Amino acid sequence: MAMLCATDLLVLVDIQNDFCPGGALAVADGDAVVPLANDLARRFHAAGAGVVLTQDWHPPGHSSFADSHPGTSPFQTIRLDYGDQTLWPAHCVQGTKGAEFHAGLDVPMAALVVRKGFRPAIDSYSAFFENDRHTPTGLAGYCRERGFTRLFFAGLATDFCVAYSAEDAARSGFASVLLTGASRAIDLDGSLDAAMARLAAAGVTVVETL
């Protein structure tokens, strides 16, 4: 892979307390990505490349929470207006400790925080689009205005928010790379294999590390 340059962007996805051990929707070994993310961010910054963060940011009673749908359970799939939606334990609620970035995340060079999932009636895995696959977050426009053409993704969780972000980056015309070594997966009912198949079909490059 070519050396990093000023047209590269590192997107660190949802490295938040609720996705780390002890959190409401903990990803196994999730906190292991923190030092790796810090190292990547320093390397990108040293090369003159960009760094941004994404932050899951749900209002209380969000439609993706199982407790918003009486009679359902976490990890069950239901049909909402925009399609199938996995129901989750309440997590990353706006203004709570669980929604905060992990205390060990040390990336002062990050120039942007993209908050997603803040619309009460629709979830948002991707850093680019809500789960209707059409409503944009604005990240694509930011990348184009800043001149970023190759985007690298790491964080939590590999098979959901990281993969959807990498897939949508490719769909939006960017070169897209997912770094598995600095990501961790939930792997819910085969979700990791399904994500890898989608990434391959979208033309995303999947590598362990740089």
Side-chain angles (χ1 to χ4, degrees):
M1 185 169 293
M3 293 178 61
L4 296 174
C5 63
T7 57
D8 292 329
L9 178 70
L10 174 65
V11 183
L12 297 174
V13 178
D14 297 358
I15 305 177
Q16 297 166 257
N17 290 328
D18 269 346
F19 296 128
C20 292
L25 186 49
V27 179
D29 200 31
D31 53 352
V33 308
V34 174
L36 303 173
N38 292 341
D39 179 64
L40 283 168
R42 287 190 291 268
R43 291 170 59 190
F44 272 71
H45 183 62
V51 180
V52 303
L53 305 173
T54 76
Q55 187 176 23
D56 224 22
W57 196 247
H58 297 306
H62 191 265
S63 63
S64 69
F65 295 168
D67 57 16
S68 298
H69 304 274
T72 66
S73 303
F75 310 112
Q76 182 178 338
T77 299
I78 66 169
R79 189 78 175 175
L80 296 179
D81 290 343
Y82 53 85
D84 289 342
Q85 173 65 51
T86 300
L87 295 179
W88 307 105
H91 65 280
C92 296
V93 175
Q94 297 169 2
T96 65
K97 185 74 173 177
E100 293 176 6
F101 292 114
H102 189 283
L105 191 65
D106 182 20
V107 288
M109 70 292 287
L112 178 71
V113 175
V114 178
R115 284 178 165 169
K116 57 190 184 62
F118 56 82
R119 292 180 172 87
I122 185 168
D123 205 5
S124 183
Y125 298 153
S126 170
F128 290 89
F129 297 99
E130 306 281 14
N131 279 7
D132 62 1
R133 316 299 286 147
H134 297 291
T135 304
T137 66
L139 181 56
Y142 172 85
C143 291
R144 291 192 177 101
E145 290 203 356
R146 289 288 310 275
F148 297 121
T149 58
R150 185 172 60 163
L151 279 52
F152 295 77
F153 297 88
L156 304 170
T158 311
D159 42 342
F160 284 93
C161 296
V162 181
Y164 276 95
S165 297
E167 180 184 358
D168 281 347
R171 189 160 68 97
S172 299
F174 301 98
S176 179
V177 183
L178 192 153
L179 303 172
T180 58
S183 306
R184 294 295 183 274
I186 296 174
D187 202 11
L188 179 65
D189 296 328
S191 58
L192 183 57
D193 285 344
M196 290 299 121
R198 290 199 325 271
L199 293 169
V204 175
T205 299
V206 178
V207 296
E208 183 176 359
T209 190
L210 294 181

